[in-house]
Amino acid sequence: MTTGQQALEETVDLAVPTHMTVSGRSHTLRVEPWTSLLDLLREGLQLTGSKKGCDHGQCGACTVLVNGVRVNSCLCLAVMHDGDAITTIEGLGSEGNLSTMQQSFVDHDGYQCGYCTPGQICSAVGMLNEGHARTEADIREQLSGNVCRCGAYPNIVAAVKHVMGMGQTEGGR
Amino acid sequence: MNNFQYVRAEGLDGAARFVAGHVGAKFIGGGTNLVDLMKYNVEKPSSLVDLNRLSMRDVSELPDGGLRIGALVTNSDVAYHPTVSTRYPLLSRAILAGASAQLRNKATTGGNLLQRTRCVYFYDTATPCNKREPGTGCPAKEGINRTLAILGTSVSCIATHPSDMCVALGALGAVVQVTGPGGSRSIPFEQFHRLPGDHPEIDTTLAADEIITSVDLPRTGFAGHSAYIKVRDRQSYAFALVSVAAGLEVADGVIAKAGVALGGVAHKPWRNPQLEQELLVGRPANRDTYHEFQRALLAGAQGFGENDFKLKLAPVTVVRALEQAAHEGEQA
């Protein structure tokens, strides 16, 4: 049986000082190493825009931008992002002041239930930063890491094409 | 996920010494596979040594004309690197056929080599698995094995290596540079991954306290004639059922040099350089040659029920990849 004193001795503080900027705000934190970036954002910083779908890097609902590059925040250990600049959906725009990509998703009905949408939009912004998409087939391939169980894909593609200046602004309706 | 100590490595020597001196300690690069496995309690490291502050992020020319890819260069940065896409298009294509953009942005070159199998029994801690817990058995042989191996299997394990990048690195004849407390060494790609044998828990010939520092590509990379064909259940973001990386140098219709490796069929990228020399080099670049080669390369293949289809799929994929490689660049 573990005594109170033993339990106290076994409780080692493994938290690590971690500094990061999240959507423009600077945070100095002590983070337990096993905390994912997604959990830190949602539970620690109360930024619940990034969603936990599968928590295994398969659905893309947790996609955020790290120094402008899209990654699955569920597979990131927060302590590994000391010094990084994170942008979540909250940092892309706000109500009444949406970013171009957010507005295009609204205009093209690029969602139904909306659960995957923050990840879809962060992923689409990341894809444009990367600059490797030229065609609709490229868009579909390069956004394949974001799953939409409602099947809003045609309108998501239309929203992204609009931002890329590829026409078809009426969406898939 | 278990609790663990986190250490930011400041140097290669210190990092290797830490892992050598701490039971259960592991290195972490991108973490896309390791963190996932930790969430399933398949991996339970006592400590993680984060290598990301070390300087292994460069792609640089080697004196012999080859190309050195630092172990921390992300899969995306390798695939889109102008020198890689121009001189080693096979590598770019294979990388871009794997995973998703988000994962490729995070996953590193060194980490890609160290991916664990995607066998469902390996992932499910409620079932036996000789790779996860040696000596507990392998339910896959009579169970769910649709994605598993047909070549180089053992009584203990029929797992496959899941990487696309490694299939191309195999065909290209890359060399893995590693360093550890015992010094530095170069490992030819074919000797990096191992077959399961009696020790399926060991995937590679890398020691636990050794660090991959770079992957070196040879001077020539089949820039003119190469193909990566990946057969999978859906068009994007799925592991290979069978994949083939094929590279050829062809002069006057005759094969001058060849590199062919398969993914999705074995515990490691499946390649046989001796057969390439005997049955491809010096032969006409045609279907008869490719068929004779695939028969020898895939000799002894054995299915386990659900994966029997690979016995037919692998041969035709080898032939198709070689044909596509040979005809690359020709006018339609």
Side-chain angles (χ1 to χ4, degrees):
Chain A
M1 185 170 290
T2 308
T3 66
Q5 183 58 36
Q6 279 172 330
L8 197 66
E9 284 167 3
E10 285 165 11
T11 307
V12 183
D13 182 12
L14 294 168
V16 177
T18 305
H19 174 266
M20 63 176 72
T21 304
V22 181
S23 298
R25 278 193 62 181
S26 178
H27 297 273
T28 300
L29 309 152
R30 285 185 63 79
V31 181
E32 291 171 329
W34 46 91
T35 308
S36 71
L37 178 59
L38 176 62
D39 284 345
L40 178 71
L41 293 170
R42 290 182 53 86
E43 310 293 335
L45 302 179
Q46 304 299 309
L47 293 167
T48 54
S50 307
K51 297 293 186 276
K52 185 181 280 195
C54 68
D55 207 26
H56 289 282
Q58 297 174 5
C59 75
C62 68
T63 302
V64 301
L65 301 165
V66 175
N67 305 325
V69 176
R70 54 179 165 157
V71 299
N72 301 109
S73 63
C74 74
L75 293 182
C76 297
L77 296 176
V79 289
M80 291 174 68
H81 292 282
D82 180 57
D84 284 343
I86 316 294
T87 305
T88 65
I89 190 72
E90 288 93 342
L92 290 180
S94 54
E95 206 172 327
N97 185 29
L98 297 181
S99 66
T100 310
M101 189 65 78
Q102 287 169 311
Q103 187 62 51
S104 191
F105 268 65
V106 173
D107 293 345
H108 293 83
D109 251 350
Y111 50 83
Q112 287 180 39
C113 82
Y115 196 83
C116 73
T117 311
Q120 297 278 1
I121 291 174
C122 285
S123 187
V125 170
M127 182 182 73
L128 296 195
N129 290 346
E130 290 157 14
H132 301 299
R134 301 280 181 275
T135 65
E136 181 170 328
D138 292 343
I139 295 170
R140 289 179 176 276
E141 167 60 34
Q142 292 176 33
L143 289 179
S144 71
N146 294 82
V147 177
C148 171
R149 296 298 297 267
C150 302
Y153 299 111
N155 293 4
I156 292 170
V157 172
V160 176
K161 282 175 72 175
H162 175 70
V163 175
M164 291 172 68
M166 289 173 65
Q168 198 190 318
T169 56
E170 292 304 309
R173 279 167 288 184
Chain B
M1 196 186 299
N2 65 297
N3 292 4
F4 58 89
Q5 182 187 6
Y6 171 78
V7 180
R8 288 183 186 127
E10 302 294 340
L12 279 171
D13 291 347
R17 274 201 307 275
F18 184 95
V19 169
H22 291 76
V23 176
K26 292 185 86 80
F27 303 112
I28 186 165
T32 51
N33 191 211
L34 179 56
V35 171
D36 188 37
L37 289 166
M38 287 165 67
K39 290 184 178 193
Y40 285 110
N41 286 317
V42 174
E43 297 276 10
K44 290 171 281 189
S46 59
S47 309
L48 283 184
V49 178
D50 181 357
L51 301 176
N52 281 283
R53 297 198 175 185
L54 305 184
S55 55
M56 300 187 285
R57 291 195 187 277
D58 291 333
V59 176
S60 55
E61 304 275 348
L62 289 166
D64 69 353
L67 196 69
R68 171 160 290 177
I69 300 170
L72 289 172
V73 182
T74 66
N75 292 181
S76 296
D77 284 347
V78 177
Y80 291 117
H81 192 282
T83 308
V84 175
S85 56
T86 306
R87 285 173 50 195
Y88 309 92
L90 181 57
L91 182 57
S92 289
R93 290 179 192 138
I95 292 171
L96 294 176
S100 66
Q102 287 96 318
L103 291 167
R104 294 191 296 264
N105 283 344
K106 191 87 167 55
T108 63
T109 299
N112 191 299
L113 271 57
L114 299 175
Q115 283 181 81
R116 310 298 311 271
T117 186
R118 293 282 161 168
C119 176
V120 294
Y121 299 104
F122 177 70
Y123 264 80
D124 184 352
T125 56
T127 65
C129 169
N130 287 325
K131 184 179 280 297
R132 179 168 33 76
E133 286 181 61
T136 55
C138 174
K141 292 197 298 289
E142 289 90 33
I144 300 166
N145 57 45
R146 186 167 176 276
T147 63
L148 301 182
I150 55 170
L151 288 158
T153 58
S154 73
V155 175
S156 310
C157 183
I158 61 169
T160 45
H161 192 259
S163 169
D164 290 290
M165 184 174 93
C166 289
V167 182
L169 291 175
L172 287 165
V175 174
V176 186
Q177 304 293 349
V178 311
T179 191
S184 299
R185 62 192 179 112
S186 304
I187 308 176
F189 207 79
E190 293 144 61
Q191 292 166 29
F192 185 83
H193 296 100
R194 58 185 295 286
L195 292 176
D198 294 334
H199 287 286
E201 74 278 12
I202 306 171
D203 291 348
T204 70
T205 56
L206 189 74
D209 55 8
E210 282 184 312
I211 301 170
I212 300 171
T213 54
S214 73
V215 174
D216 294 352
L217 303 178
R219 190 170 53 82
T220 56
F222 303 116
H225 295 286
S226 66
Y228 188 71
I229 295 184
K230 179 176 181 180
V231 184
R232 45 185 159 170
D233 282 330
R234 60 180 178 215
Q235 200 177 356
S236 182
Y237 201 12
F239 289 99
L241 295 168
V242 170
S243 69
V244 177
L248 293 173
E249 286 179 20
V250 184
D252 300 326
V254 175
I255 298 168
K257 190 179 173 194
V260 182
L262 280 85
V265 296
H267 199 255
K268 59 186 287 189
W270 194 256
R271 186 188 174 201
N272 188 328
Q274 192 186 329
L275 289 179
E276 292 161 9
Q277 282 298 321
E278 289 173 6
L279 298 176
L280 290 175
V281 174
R283 304 276 183 110
N286 65 30
R287 188 174 283 203
D288 288 345
T289 300
Y290 309 148
H291 267 295
E292 192 180 346
F293 170 73
Q294 67 78 8
R295 276 192 291 272
L297 182 64
L298 306 176
Q302 177 199 357
F304 292 88
E306 286 185 353
N307 70 349
D308 286 350
F309 72 98
K310 292 189 181 184
L311 301 173
K312 290 183 178 174
L313 184 60
V316 296
T317 312
V318 171
V319 173
R320 194 175 130 205
L322 281 163
E323 287 193 315
Q324 192 172 311
H327 294 296
E328 189 183 31
E330 285 178 7
Q331 297 293 322

